[in-house]
Amino acid sequence: MTASRHVRSLITTPPSYEGSLGSVRGADGEDFPILKGMSMRRLVLAPGAIREPHWHANADELACCLSGDLLVSVLDTGDVFGAFTISAGEMFYITVGSLHTIENVGDVDAELIIVFSHERPEEFSLHGAFGAMTDAVLGNTFTLPSSDFAALKRDTSSALLVHRNGPAKVPASAAFPDPHKFGIASETPPIDHPYGTAHAARSQFWPALKNLAMYSILIPENGMREPHWHPNTAEMGYVHKGRARMSILDPDGSVDTYELQAGDAYFIPRSYPHQIEVIGDEEIHFLVFFDQPMPADIGYRTSTSSISREVLAATFGVTTGSLPTLPSTVDDPLIVERVNPLDRPS
């Protein structure tokens, strides 16, 4: 199967950083031209590593922790501070312009999948921001002699990852609830079938969300994400484990069918019909991010329920007697049972 313009690997793509502190790999508008309004990074932090203090000038940020233990510090405005811990199955949300730091406070590597609400997110680091100012300006800012800043290594670049000297300092309050934080894995899934489950991080359950949302979807071999589309909502997904096959219809009538494996990111533009199913015996777990806080969904089952059999017969060029007995479906099931063997794409 040929490579798809809708897919990029976040395992093999060239890193923006890779070394003893971890790695940063991304899919954005520079090397993934189909993206619009979304981009993604896979961040791996080694023990003691820190994603340096930074902020994004044009994008909100939504992150999901897949492994490890992290301390996230946030400054939303001049006097609204927050610091909270994150572990596997938990998420955090940072609004545009808010200063934040991500620190591995555990003993093993930590992995985050991060999505931004822009295809080319712009970033400033605190290191770079200090480097833009003279010693005198900084001295006046902190009411200190300018000579106190002469020893600091400063320029306007960003190191991305830096190393902490000594043990982590985690305040006791970091375990408290925080509006930036959401435990998606511990929430009751709104979709829960023997053939698949979906946990949802959307503004209905997490009021802090403004421009992004995410579903964590687990589908075993006997399940399938039904063919569907999202009105006014783009989708960017990450395959955490398993192998899957997806088909997407483009407006020109072409069908792009491609295979996905762990570490792959994919992008579906707004309102494009698509479907996903398991390949092989292992269940698939994928994170599905959206560019709206309350993503809409129209599935094939509800679509045919909204149209009379006479109109459907005319649409497909058959008699009403030749139409399948399609079930009347009021609520979109999202995940359906696979009652037929896996077919091969035409």
Side-chain angles (χ1 to χ4, degrees):
M1 190 170 293
T2 58
S4 169
R5 70 189 186 99
H6 295 97
V7 182
R8 290 292 185 277
S9 171
L10 294 187
I11 301 294
T12 61
T13 191
S16 51
Y17 175 94
E18 187 169 38
S20 61
L21 300 181
S23 62
V24 182
R25 284 180 166 83
D28 60 29
E30 293 298 323
D31 58 1
F32 201 174
I34 195 174
L35 292 182
K36 184 176 181 181
M38 302 181 80
S39 55
M40 181 181 289
R41 285 182 189 165
R42 178 176 176 262
L43 171 64
V44 178
L45 289 177
I50 301 167
R51 175 68 173 94
E52 67 170 331
H54 65 285
W55 65 94
H56 303 283
N58 62 346
D60 289 2
E61 173 180 332
L62 181 60
C64 182
C65 181
L66 296 178
S67 64
D69 296 293
L70 299 158
L71 175 66
V72 182
S73 302
V74 184
L75 176 62
D76 282 322
T77 69
D79 58 0
V80 180
F81 297 83
F84 51 90
T85 52
I86 289 287
S87 58
E90 296 182 315
M91 305 180 65
F92 65 83
Y93 184 70
I94 309 294
T95 55
V96 59
S98 290
L99 177 69
H100 55 291
T101 309
I102 309 168
E103 181 179 355
N104 187 340
V105 295
D107 299 325
V108 299
D109 285 357
E111 181 181 359
L112 282 170
I113 301 301
I114 304 172
V115 163
F116 304 95
S117 61
H118 199 286
E119 67 274 14
R120 290 179 173 85
E122 298 173 344
E123 181 179 304
F124 291 99
S125 71
L126 192 63
H127 175 272
F130 267 56
M133 305 301 163
T134 66
D135 291 350
V137 167
L138 293 175
N140 294 337
T141 300
F142 294 96
T143 320
L144 292 170
S146 60
S147 58
D148 284 8
F149 295 88
L152 298 186
K153 296 179 180 179
R154 301 205 322 271
D155 55 49
T156 57
S157 67
S158 171
L160 289 180
L161 305 186
V162 295
H163 185 261
R164 182 187 66 241
N165 293 317
K169 293 184 178 180
V170 182
S173 59
F176 295 168
D178 188 285
H180 298 91
K181 174 181 174 178
F182 185 73
I184 188 169
S186 62
E187 294 291 308
T188 301
I191 304 295
D192 191 5
H193 305 302
Y195 42 85
T197 61
H199 291 77
R202 59 192 187 204
S203 57
Q204 173 189 10
F205 308 123
W206 189 5
L209 295 179
K210 294 182 176 66
N211 297 304
L212 294 165
M214 193 202 81
Y215 289 177
S216 175
I217 299 179
L218 188 68
I219 302 179
E221 184 185 6
N222 64 332
M224 188 184 76
R225 178 67 173 100
E226 72 157 328
H228 64 286
W229 65 92
H230 304 287
N232 200 36
T233 308
E235 171 182 328
M236 191 169 191
Y238 178 81
V239 182
H240 178 211
K241 63 178 182 178
R243 295 174 57 238
R245 186 174 73 190
M246 179 176 281
S247 294
I248 176 173
L249 175 64
D250 280 62
D252 64 3
S254 62
V255 178
D256 188 9
T257 297
Y258 47 88
E259 293 184 5
L260 297 165
Q261 60 185 345
D264 282 348
Y266 67 85
F267 182 74
I268 311 293
R270 294 183 174 194
S271 296
Y272 281 36
H274 56 287
Q275 167 267 348
I276 190 166
E277 57 191 325
V278 179
I279 296 176
D281 299 329
E282 184 185 8
E283 65 185 5
I284 56 173
H285 177 222
F286 55 106
L287 311 179
V288 184
F289 294 84
F290 303 98
D291 64 352
Q292 301 289 335
M294 275 293 292
D297 189 288
I298 296 179
Y300 278 32
R301 283 182 65 125
T302 53
S303 70
T304 58
S305 299
S306 69
I307 300 169
S308 71
R309 287 184 63 82
E310 289 73 21
V311 171
L312 288 173
T315 299
F316 294 108
V318 297
T319 65
T320 55
S322 299
L323 279 176
T325 306
L326 302 172
S328 178
T329 304
V330 177
D331 295 322
D332 186 355
L334 200 111
I335 300 170
V336 295
E337 184 177 11
R338 193 168 71 189
V339 297
N340 296 291
L342 185 70
D343 56 8
R344 305 318 311 173
S346 58

